Amino acid sequence: MIVAEQKPLEDIIRMVRPYKKVLLLGCGTCTTVCNAGGETEVAFLHDALRMAEARAGDGRREYSEATLKRQCDPEFLEHLTERVEGVDAVVSLACGTGVQALAERFADLPVFPGVNTSFIGMAVEWGVWDERCAACGDCRLEDTGGICPITRCTKGILNGPCAGPKKGHCEVSPDMECAWILIYRRLERLGQLERMRRYYPPRNFRPISRPRRIVGKAGLEARGSHGDVTA
Amino acid sequence: MNTVAVRARRTPLSEHTIMPPCQVACPLHMDIREYVDLAAQGRLMEAMQVIRSGNPFPSICAYICAHPCEEACRRGQVDKPVAIRALKRFALEFGGDRMIEVEAETTRSERVAVVGSGPAGLACAYYLRKLGYPVTVFEAHSEVGGMLRVGIPRYRLPREVLDVEITRLTKMGVEIRTGTRVVSLDLVFDLGYRAVFLTVGAHQSLRMGIEGEDGAGVVDGATLLRELNLGLTPALGERVAVVGGGNVAMDAARSAVRLGVPQVSVLYRRTRAEMPADPREVEQALEEGIEFQYLVAPVRVRTREGRPEVTCVRMELGEPDQSGRRRPVPIAGSEFTERYDTLVTAIGQAPQVPDDFHVRIGRGSTIQVDPVTLSTNRAGVFAGGDAVTGPSTVVEALAAGRTAAGRIDDYLNHRYPLAPSDSEEEWMGDLRPETVATIRTTGRLEPPVLSREERTAGFAPVELAYDCQTATNEARRCLRCGLGAAIVAPDRCASCLTCVRVCPYHVPYADAEGAIHIPFDQCQACGICVGECPAGVIALRKAGELGQVDEELDHVLGSATRVTSKPMIVGFCCQYGVYGTGTLAGLWRGLKAGVWIVPVRCVTKVETGHLLRAFEMGAEGVFVAGCGEQCARENTGHWMRQRVAKVKRVLAQLGLQPERLEAFMWGENTHDPTEVLDEFAARVGGFYLDSVLLQEVKR
Amino acid sequence: MATSLLEEKLLSGEFVVTTEIGPPKGADVSGVIHHVDLLKDMVDAINVTDHQSSVMRYPSLGACLLIKERGGEPVLQITCRDRNRLALQAEVLFAYSRGIQNILCLTGDSVDVGDHKDAKPVFDLDSVQLLRMIRTMESGVDMAGNQLAGAPKCCIGASVHPEADFMEAQLVKFDKKVEAGAQFFQTQGVFDLAAFRRFMQYASQFDVKILAGFIVLSSAGMARYMNSSVPGITVPQELIDELAAVEKGKGLAKGVEIAARFIRTIREEGLCHGVHIMAVGNESVVPELLAAAELVGVHR
């Protein structure tokens, strides 16, 4: 799941300042789940913006709210065509993908990010999300006991811990456990410590030369329009 | 300014609450959950109105209802049932029930006769009258009320209470003819009545069927109570034995104590566990010094020197009988003999219906009726109450009376009588043990009773009314069954598991397909998930709960924004508990102008948007005050503080001091609300002054 | 034929003494020159730290050149924090071309602990991979397998922390470093001799030289700061108390005394092959420490 957090209010206020009619657009998938951009957060942002304007004695903007199932798929964006009529700008509470999908679909409409897209992660408990995957495109979790050192080690090193951990926690974030100590313990438990003793050659960064694309379909010639999403 | 925005964005939910077990169990299906909730908020007049709308004579039930609702109450699965009957009495007495008048207008020409003025008859008369019919009640005795008058002792039901209800009924235009025994229904019809409701009760005591039963010093319970209640003072002597284990036996025994009999015994052929009498009655009887002899049955009475000499046999419990109770079996050779001054038999009663009524009689001398229409074999003749069911409870009789009124109305209008559909599709099951384990236990608070000495000195009512605080606390024990949260737009649910994680009762769960479910019969309707759901797709089943805070806030802001002299402070205060009864609001109104209280039904219903809106509308300070230690759950304060913290972050980002917003849980972080709030008001006043000065400087 | 003077000394079996200097924050290298001149004849080699604690400074390579110019034996510290594999390889080529052959291969501290917290942490390689990178280059090819016109030849070392939080995992990494070709190890600051002895019991099985690292404490405050802020370091309470007991201004002298005591013990017990002295900003006290540790004249 993509995890994001809402941008500071002042940033959003600054973005919408020149506009009169602003649509606050939530996303019903990832950012709903991480409490950053679902219907409830859209409403909260709306309330906060109205309050900010009331306190500042600022000229009133007209805000409207909507939440799509997903902003990152063109088909869902079609449902917005009527909603954005007369709208001067959109603040998207989707991840960066959603913001860009909107910008691609509505060429004349300014689109602003309302959240900072942070990472791919999971909720470890209510209201706490931890990063778990760096989307490096070269997964080696099979060698590290299912614990990703690239994501969870602050240095992303591959051959064991640095000398920094204190009390099992990372030198940088004392809240986070040292990934390599976790890996050691887990491999020990699984009787697979030899996987850690093995030398890991330097990472292959080629999969993350940007922009990335995955082509899942076979390179057949399309018949009709169903072959391409954006055709 | 679009104040409805907050309301509108939530998926509107039509009322789809589920009938709670208490209401299902109540023969009148009273909206118990609602009036208990109102009582918990100290809204006693409204509670009283809810009670009145579901019960023709609620003050009678408030004293003597057998409260099947309490047996069904699921709070009993946690600790003990909510004291519903006592709360009803509290709400009625403090809500001003005595002052209520019921209006009725005659819109119909068909006259209806009610034979018998017991609870069934009076209830039928009440509802027929409300339907606009002219009604006459015929009562054989000199006084109105049937068993309420001649059966139930005054210490359980004060006569003033009964009189108030009867006066109310006569003021509605019901004609009551006492001392008028109906001997023939033909005659009633000849008098011009178009329908008759027979409710002659079950006043005939059953005979024990043993030798010497009619001898001197042997009296039946119904007769004894009737004499007593009609003003006679029966001479019972020094030693009295009462045979039987039901409420009449208890009434007889306890009345004997009040008549000054020093030694009263109850002889019962099974054990205390099988006694049909209300356990609290038995308990009080024991307190009053009544001796209980279990597994004992009289087999013979001889009269010696004008006094009964009773031979009893000891019993043991055998196999269960039809009633599910274990059948008592005599132990051979265990006979023993005791001498008493009076032997009272109270082993049951049956109706006695005159043959001249020509209605079909069934088992136990009861009148046979169609259970749906309550109609007898004679056209236009309906029957209900103990005369149909055999001895039963007041609330059953009231329900029968209400049904009869409806059926008679159907009959007179030639309508097809439809049986009420008892939908069982969403029946409340038991609480799961996991749910029970998470519910804060609070002991049941009983209303005070007179001391044993005060009780036995006369016929004063044993039970007293609650005081406000005890009643409020008791009412708060209600689990609000069937009001719970529901996912109203499953298609928009992101299965984010927030509800699963925030529920204090661990009720919501995700199935293998990833869909989220909130079992309606486990949910405690705390509302935390409703506020936290990031997709905004959870709502409480009771429509009114949703917009309540918005409505109250609109109302307060509407008034407050017209007053501009003082810095405005808005406080969202829990309406339940001690502070909910208006104490806090009263305190503050007297103390500080500019403080506006928004009453909320639990602070978990205050959402971040509400707090922001108060600031948006010009509040200089906002606080949320929960009921703290009195709360039904322990983590209410946690969720309130989570939301407050979130709004504080926004305030800080907007250059407003986060200290303008505070959360209080009385009893958790403070002991003296006045002091704490004074300090808060002073702080907010300081901020206000600073901002005013700053504006001046800017100019 | 040894690659460098340091390697020669390491192979000689004599007790090795190295130290290190932190380059300046700025282009004024007079301080470095002063310290190099002061120390170059008293020790076997001088390390130069590579943006220690992720604080941006004059480069290690530049200071190493100065040491070389002034007749000292430099140890170039290279971390993986700031350079990708292209830059790392280029660094090695340059160092070798200028006679700098001792290289200490480190992963490097996280940028979050330094003074440019917003910087991009590179960590294209880790320390093990860096060691192997140099060994690969020595074979005449770069990491991508391309032929090098002129291969470097180095004496490479690595670090190990005998008092690390979770030794099992540290030792796995130590093994990997040995396997990758590390010839010598400089340990992190040793404060607990018992822990160091346990480590040496393990490390002595390998054909590598271990130089015990000693940090010269200057006050109880510094010790506490290191405990809270320096990754991996834990100064025991007894030492903090010992430092706290002396009067103000005498802390550094006490720190020198403590370090000297440790060094003497290590040498007496023959625990390891040498010491590495980290004076962290107080490089001028190193001669005094060497005297107190009875190491004057021990060097070449």
Side-chain angles (χ1 to χ4, degrees), chain B residues 373-411:
Chain B
T373 62
L374 299 185
S375 56
T376 64
N377 56 313
R378 288 188 64 172
V381 178
F382 297 76
D386 286 358
V388 167
T389 59
S392 182
T393 61
V394 171
V395 66
E396 287 284 3
L398 294 177
R402 184 169 72 181
T403 305
R407 296 307 170 222
I408 290 168
D409 186 45
D410 285 344
Y411 168 76

Side-chain angles (χ1 to χ4, degrees), chain B residues 73-393:
Chain B
C73 176
R74 299 201 305 169
R75 181 90 213 182
Q77 298 169 25
V78 178
D79 38 35
K80 281 188 166 171
V82 175
I84 298 168
R85 183 189 53 73
L87 284 170
K88 175 161 46 213
R89 178 171 164 193
F90 167 78
L92 290 170
E93 289 192 12
F94 286 76
D97 178 60
R98 268 165 198 257
M99 317 304 292
I100 296 291
E101 287 188 14
V102 181
E103 308 270 310
E105 220 180 298
T106 305
T107 56
R108 307 289 305 212
S109 57
E110 304 94 327
R111 294 162 67 206
V112 182
V114 174
V115 180
S117 72
L122 295 181
C124 183
Y126 176 93
Y127 285 109
L128 283 171
R129 193 62 206 127
K130 289 194 85 174
L131 288 166
Y133 292 98
V135 183
T136 308
V137 178
F138 297 94
E139 170 55 55
H141 288 114
S142 58
E143 293 192 55
V144 192
M147 271 301 175
L148 297 172
R149 179 77 66 181
V150 300
I152 293 172
R154 277 172 289 152
Y155 66 86
R156 284 217 285 143
L157 177 66
R159 290 305 176 250
E160 312 84 82
V161 173
L162 183 55
D163 291 341
V164 166
E165 293 290 8
I166 289 166
T167 308
R168 193 142 46 200
L169 197 62
T170 51
K171 279 191 180 164
M172 283 170 76
V174 172
E175 185 191 3
I176 302 180
R177 295 199 191 161
T178 51
T180 310
R181 183 175 293 274
V182 173
V183 289
S184 156
L185 296 183
D186 299 331
L187 207 59
V188 175
F189 284 114
D190 286 349
L191 286 168
Y193 292 98
R194 297 281 309 280
V196 178
F197 182 46
L198 283 183
T199 142
V200 296
H203 293 261
Q204 185 63 44
S205 287
L206 295 181
R207 295 173 59 81
M208 292 193 289
I210 59 170
E211 179 191 335
E213 195 174 351
D214 299 315
V218 183
V219 63
D220 70 274
T223 304
L224 171 69
L225 291 166
R226 181 161 59 242
E227 288 176 359
L228 182 62
N229 285 319
L230 290 175
L232 302 173
T233 311
L236 300 174
E238 302 286 303
R239 285 195 82 197
V240 172
V242 179
V243 182
N247 281 328
V248 173
M250 293 307 111
D251 288 348
R254 297 179 69 190
S255 293
V257 170
R258 284 160 175 75
L259 287 168
V261 177
Q263 202 187 337
V264 179
S265 304
V266 169
L267 311 180
Y268 181 51
R269 57 191 185 138
R270 298 185 228 225
T271 71
R272 185 168 173 183
E274 288 85 26
M275 278 180 88
D278 183 337
R280 201 156 153 77
E281 292 281 319
V282 179
E283 208 174 289
Q284 291 180 351
L286 281 163
E287 283 168 19
E288 287 162 16
I290 292 165
E291 178 210 24
F292 281 75
Q293 295 185 28
Y294 299 109
L295 294 167
V296 162
V299 288
R300 183 165 61 247
V301 183
R302 295 239 167 82
T303 309
R304 292 258 170 111
E305 297 157 12
R307 293 157 63 200
E309 188 184 78
V310 185
T311 302
C312 295
V313 64
R314 296 202 186 278
M315 317 289 278
E316 61 187 357
L317 292 180
E319 293 302 304
D321 64 10
Q322 283 162 330
S323 71
R325 298 180 301 174
R326 292 172 69 190
R327 189 191 300 275
V329 182
I331 303 171
S334 64
E335 291 181 9
F336 62 98
T337 301
E338 286 275 348
R339 294 183 73 177
Y340 297 101
D341 294 321
T342 307
L343 179 70
V344 182
T345 64
I347 59 160
Q349 285 157 227
Q352 202 176 24
V353 184
D355 292 343
D356 287 350
F357 283 4
H358 301 297
V359 288
R360 189 169 295 138
I361 303 297
R363 256 190 65 211
S365 312
T366 57
I367 304 174
Q368 278 194 333
V369 297
D370 172 339
V372 174
T373 62
L374 299 185
S375 56
T376 64
N377 56 313
R378 288 188 64 172
V381 178
F382 297 76
D386 286 358
V388 167
T389 59
S392 182
T393 61

Side-chain angles (χ1 to χ4, degrees), chain A residues 155 157-168 171-172 184-185 196-203 205, chain C residues 85 108 110 112 123-126 128-129 132 143 165-166 168 170 173 176 188 226-227 230-233:
Chain A
K155 298 167 187 172
I157 53 178
L158 296 173
N159 280 294
C162 69
K166 282 188 181 172
K167 295 197 171 79
E171 67 177 47
V172 179
Y184 184 95
R185 292 215 165 105
M196 184 164 163
R197 295 214 167 88
R198 214 179 283 159
Y199 169 68
Y200 291 101
R203 268 172 71 188
F205 281 92
Chain C
R85 60 194 83 174
S110 163
D112 299 68
F123 299 110
D124 184 14
L125 304 187
D126 62 23
V128 178
Q129 293 160 349
R132 283 191 183 252
M143 284 180 79
D165 188 43
F166 187 75
E168 299 95 309
Q170 286 293 325
K173 192 148 185 195
K176 286 186 172 186
Q188 308 268 25
M226 293 207 322
N227 280 354
V230 178
I233 300 288

Side-chain angles (χ1 to χ4, degrees), chain A residues 8-10 13 28 32-33 35 38-41 43-44 46-48 50-52 54-55 60 65 69 123 125-126, chain B residues 9 491-492 494 496 498 501-502 532-536 608-609 612 615-616 619 639 642 646 650-651 653-654 656:
Chain A
L9 203 50
E10 54 258 51
I13 292 170
T32 293
V33 174
N35 256 342
E39 191 162 320
T40 302
E41 285 308 313
F44 181 65
H46 187 174
D47 288 331
R50 277 210 327 265
M51 183 203 138
R55 302 298 298 202
R60 283 297 171 99
E65 298 177 18
K69 185 78 188 172
E125 62 179 84
W126 179 84
Chain B
R9 66 171 152 256
D491 54 320
R492 283 191 289 125
C496 69
T498 299
R501 292 177 180 138
V502 304
E532 297 303 327
C533 174
T608 48
L612 285 174
F615 281 110
E616 180 190 356
W639 292 109
Q642 283 284 355
K646 185 171 177 182
V650 168
L651 293 182
Q653 289 180 22
L654 296 175
L656 284 170

